[in-house]
Amino acid sequence: MDLQQTMEQKSFVVVGDTLNPEKFAYKIKQAMTEAGYKVQCVGKELQSINDAEGDIDIIDLCINAKKGLQLMKECKKPFKSVVLQPGAFDDELVAYLKDNNIPYIEGCLLVGLKLYPRQ
């Protein structure tokens, strides 16, 4: 799945500090919600991806790679793909995703919103 296909999805879980206006997770949450996406947040709002209600299309990791890896290992909910925001991944996280055949892209949802606005 590429960035354009990612932006065609409906339900996103943003993982990071979505309560602090200075953080990118907050900015992503706000922009995605304003664009009409269903957005749930893990980190400061929900404790686990497993706490998200309903279906998840995309998990957006906007958090320290070690914490992101821990949350991905604990995740039992089905989803389509993971977005690794700049600075939110390391070799260990990428290896885990590859080893477990978890689809992912390295990208930014804020860029995706600009390049592929919802119709």
Side-chain angles (χ1 to χ4, degrees), residues 15-93:
V15 180
D17 186 350
T18 55
L19 299 178
N20 181 346
E22 301 297 316
K23 300 289 187 172
F24 274 100
Y26 175 90
K27 295 171 185 177
I28 291 165
K29 170 191 169 184
Q30 294 302 114
M32 296 290 289
T33 301
E34 289 172 10
Y37 292 93
K38 177 183 175 190
V39 180
Q40 298 180 72
C41 304
V42 171
K44 299 290 184 177
E45 296 179 53
L46 299 172
Q47 293 303 306
S48 168
I49 297 166
N50 298 319
D51 295 337
E53 293 182 10
D55 294 336
I56 300 171
D57 293 322
I58 305 295
I59 297 172
D60 179 44
L61 295 181
C62 196
I63 194 169
N64 173 284
K66 300 293 182 216
K67 181 69 174 170
L69 176 60
Q70 175 188 342
L71 289 166
M72 291 306 303
K73 286 181 175 181
E74 295 170 357
C75 182
K76 303 294 182 221
K77 291 194 72 117
F79 58 90
K80 295 178 183 175
S81 185
V82 175
V83 174
L84 303 174
Q85 292 286 146
F89 60 92
D90 62 12
D91 292 341
E92 188 178 3
L93 175 57

